Amino acid sequence: MNASTGTPLPPIRTVLADDHEIVRSGMRNELGDRFEVVGEADDADGAIDVINARLPDLVVSDLHMPRGGGLAVVQACATVCPIVILTVSEAERDLLDAVAAGAAGYLLKNSPIADVRTSLIAAAAGEPVFSPSLAALVLGEFRRMSRSADTNPLTERERQVLQLVARGHTYKELGAELTISPKTAENHVRNILGKLHLSRRSDLVRYAVEHGLD
């Protein structure tokens, strides 16, 4: 429901990609009325074809599928719409590879379905989303990577914003943490995207992984 108008929100047109039909069936049944499944695939090639044909609002993809898996899907289609990896893998390398490829989020299949729904709605709105247990892995990678002044044109405030974005904070949460309005937080994110020549908030996480922040 749109809070300002009271009218129902349009469903989030979603593609499901997983090589186990029972997983796709479970997702269809559990996602609820906010989502409309407009396509499915059981391998990366099929997912890429469906995404390009249907142009969905969101893709939920398994990481390990035939023909390249979720990474191939992300690499081919991250500019089409947000792609969230839904997987059993808690391996740091899998997470970082997915982020570096351009994934909008990385969620674990053992997460409560209510949390998955909430995260997917946020991802469709442009928010980067991660299972809480994985956020520390992303930030840990920041600390291990060297900082380069030549490749990091951000101000100190923008670096703070980027760190919070990497933790999955919404604009409201950013504002509360930094004592600024949500609109100011959104403006900071827009400025960061412009400076880094990135198109979406989820791309900021990839930048942070590649360049590092203290």
Side-chain angles (χ1 to χ4, degrees):
M1 189 73 68
N2 188 308
S4 60
T5 66
T7 58
L9 293 169
I12 298 167
R13 300 174 65 256
T14 304
V15 165
L16 302 178
D18 195 292
D19 57 334
H20 294 96
E21 199 281 332
I22 191 170
V23 173
R24 301 197 309 274
S25 176
M27 288 295 292
R28 283 196 308 271
N29 293 332
E30 294 289 350
L31 281 177
D33 294 340
R34 282 292 285 115
F35 299 85
E36 176 190 1
V37 177
V38 298
E40 298 184 26
D42 60 8
D43 63 34
D45 288 347
I48 292 167
D49 289 343
V50 171
I51 292 165
N52 287 327
R54 303 308 304 271
L55 301 178
D57 303 316
L58 178 72
V59 175
V60 183
S61 177
D62 190 19
L63 183 64
H64 298 298
M65 297 185 297
R67 297 181 173 84
L71 288 184
V73 177
V74 172
Q75 290 164 351
C77 300
T79 58
V80 176
C81 66
I83 300 175
V84 174
I85 298 296
L86 182 64
T87 180
V88 297
S89 174
E90 298 183 52
E92 180 178 18
R93 190 70 265 158
D94 285 342
L95 166 64
L96 297 176
D97 285 348
V99 170
Y106 194 100
L107 304 176
L108 297 177
K109 287 182 176 179
N110 62 4
S111 302
I113 187 61
D115 293 347
V116 172
R117 279 195 297 263
T118 299
S119 294
L120 293 180
I121 291 170
E127 305 278 354
V129 295
F130 297 91
S131 289
S133 62
L134 301 176
L137 295 182
V138 179
L139 296 174
E141 183 72 0
F142 297 169
R143 288 190 291 271
R144 285 193 294 273
M145 300 181 74
S146 61
R147 182 195 306 174
S148 170
D150 293 336
T151 59
N152 187 7
L154 304 182
T155 66
E156 183 60 33
R157 172 63 84 182
E158 288 167 344
R159 288 167 61 82
Q160 292 173 345
V161 169
L162 181 51
Q163 286 180 315
L164 294 176
V165 167
R167 294 189 179 102
H169 282 45
T170 64
Y171 294 130
K172 183 177 180 180
E173 291 166 343
L174 280 169
E177 181 77 16
L178 299 176
T179 320
I180 57 179
S181 72
K183 184 63 177 177
T184 299
E186 183 178 355
N187 289 338
H188 276 305
V189 170
R190 187 177 295 111
N191 290 338
I192 295 169
L193 288 169
K195 281 188 176 184
L196 303 180
H197 307 290
L198 302 174
S199 60
R200 295 197 311 271
R201 282 194 59 181
S202 55
D203 293 330
L204 296 180
V205 181
R206 183 172 73 253
Y207 174 88
V209 169
E210 291 172 348
H211 295 281
L213 291 172
D214 288 335

